[in-house]
Amino acid sequence: MKHWQIDQLPWDRFDPSKVDPELIPAIKAAAVVERNSVDYALYLNNVFRNDPDFCTAANHWAEEEIQHGDALGRWAMLADPTWDYKAAFLRYREFYKIPLDVEQSVRGSLTGELIARCMVETGTSSFYSALADATDEPVLKALCKQIAADEFRHFKLFYDHMHRYLHRENIGLVQRMRIALGRVTETEDDELASAYYTTNEPADKPYDHTQCIAAYMARAMRNYRSQHLRRVTTMVFKIIGLPTHSWLQNVAFRISEKLFLRRQQRFARIAGIS
């Protein structure tokens, strides 16, 4: 069952004077990506077709992700009354599609698939935690706290199943690291860029992947602080199987923090965002 309902959020406390206009485009894009989780559930059901328990869990996960999208979409329409969430989602669905006619994981193993899912939940839980801390708008703050809590639970869900498969498939440390870090680079693929384009740009404007991913990432990344990045490092070390809260993790955090800042600044320059 869902842990909360959209109508339970304090919608009557929405304060347009506390809305950061730079956040609205990123929230619009995030809304349609979350809502599109139904396709990822179908993909996971194909890949894990011999594991009914996991398929049931994946379907429940998708229901919660859909709720995230609908709640974010509702907030975005309050922040920008000219925007139509349902129309934007239909446009996104037409523009961006993931392959569903597959029977094998694109990660090469079931453990690898679950490592990738853990990395996604690491990213989303940190993103919504950062948004909750960054925004002063009461409804968005409450919503992001709820979503972040869900995403941390989703991380544990996929992490527990990952360990179950890890005992069977015995994926080595180097391969786990390669899959995890490879998933990080995929944040610049067409999923988020297409989401930004279809929710923020007119249909007659040509799609520019470089500009769209920069516009989204610059707005999303500017909300992170050191505590969010440190938690990300801890979660990644846990996924890979390296010791957390160690000197090695501290070194990795320092390096990743500098790389993150440089990346955010690069995206901001491309997007023309100060």
Side-chain angles (χ1 to χ4, degrees):
M1 294 179 62
K2 297 174 183 176
H3 287 239
W4 53 278
Q5 300 296 325
I6 292 177
D7 288 338
Q8 292 174 342
L9 293 167
W11 297 105
D12 58 334
R13 293 177 56 203
F14 177 75
D15 188 345
S17 69
K18 294 183 178 180
V19 172
D20 179 357
E22 287 295 335
L23 267 185
I24 300 173
I27 297 295
K28 291 176 180 178
V32 299
V33 171
E34 295 277 351
R35 182 66 176 78
N36 202 40
S37 60
V38 62
D39 276 359
Y40 286 96
L42 291 172
Y43 166 79
L44 291 173
N45 272 267
N46 287 342
V47 172
F48 290 90
R49 60 194 176 280
N50 296 320
D51 188 343
D53 288 341
F54 177 80
C55 289
T56 298
N59 291 334
H60 289 162
W61 161 82
E63 288 178 9
E64 294 190 348
E65 296 292 302
I66 290 169
Q67 179 173 265
H68 297 170
D70 289 344
L72 291 166
R74 180 170 169 177
W75 182 89
M77 287 193 293
L78 286 176
D80 178 5
T82 67
W83 190 62
D84 187 332
Y85 164 59
K86 290 184 178 179
F89 177 65
L90 290 175
R91 183 182 170 199
Y92 176 64
R93 290 271 294 177
E94 286 296 316
F95 191 82
Y96 177 80
K97 299 180 184 298
I98 67 170
L100 297 177
D101 55 342
V102 296
E103 294 186 353
Q104 304 296 325
S105 169
V106 296
R107 310 295 168 183
S109 67
L110 297 178
T111 304
E113 184 64 47
L114 291 165
I115 289 172
R117 295 313 314 170
C118 286
M119 290 297 293
V120 171
E121 301 303 331
T122 298
T124 53
S125 60
S126 64
F127 172 60
Y128 291 111
S129 294
L131 279 185
D133 291 341
T135 186
D136 292 322
E137 201 294 301
V139 181
L140 184 61
K141 182 178 283 291
L143 172 56
C144 288
K145 286 182 177 180
Q146 290 281 17
I147 295 178
D150 284 350
E151 304 295 18
F152 283 119
R153 284 192 299 100
H154 295 164
F155 172 86
K156 186 177 186 307
L157 166 72
F158 291 119
Y159 181 81
D160 289 345
H161 282 283
M162 181 199 77
H163 265 276
R164 185 162 60 88
Y165 276 95
L166 185 60
H167 290 306
R168 301 180 190 178
E169 297 179 333
N170 196 28
I171 301 297
L173 176 65
V174 173
Q175 190 172 356
R176 276 180 278 163
M177 188 180 301
R178 178 181 59 78
I179 295 169
L181 298 182
R183 187 61 186 83
V184 172
T185 64
E186 291 176 24
T187 56
E188 294 185 37
D189 66 10
D190 271 328
E191 181 181 34
L192 290 172
S194 296
Y196 185 89
Y197 172 70
T198 54
T199 56
N200 291 285
E201 302 289 3
D204 58 354
K205 181 177 180 178
Y207 173 57
D208 185 328
H209 171 86
T210 300
Q211 285 294 324
C212 287
I213 195 63
Y216 175 81
M217 296 296 282
R219 288 175 170 86
M221 297 172 73
R222 67 199 284 263
N223 302 289
Y224 281 73
R225 298 295 179 264
S226 289
Q227 65 267 26
H228 308 121
L229 297 175
R230 186 174 288 279
R231 177 175 271 179
V232 166
T233 309
T234 300
M235 294 172 76
V236 172
F237 265 53
K238 190 173 181 180
I239 295 166
I240 294 172
L242 292 172
T244 59
H245 308 295
S246 62
W247 68 268
L248 182 60
Q249 184 192 322
N250 286 332
V251 171
F253 163 68
R254 299 297 179 191
I255 295 173
S256 62
E257 186 178 39
K258 291 180 180 178
L259 292 175
F260 185 93
L261 179 60
R262 290 179 186 175
R263 194 173 175 219
Q264 193 276 333
Q265 292 172 340
R266 177 173 65 87
F267 284 131
R269 285 194 300 271
I270 294 172
I273 299 173
S274 59

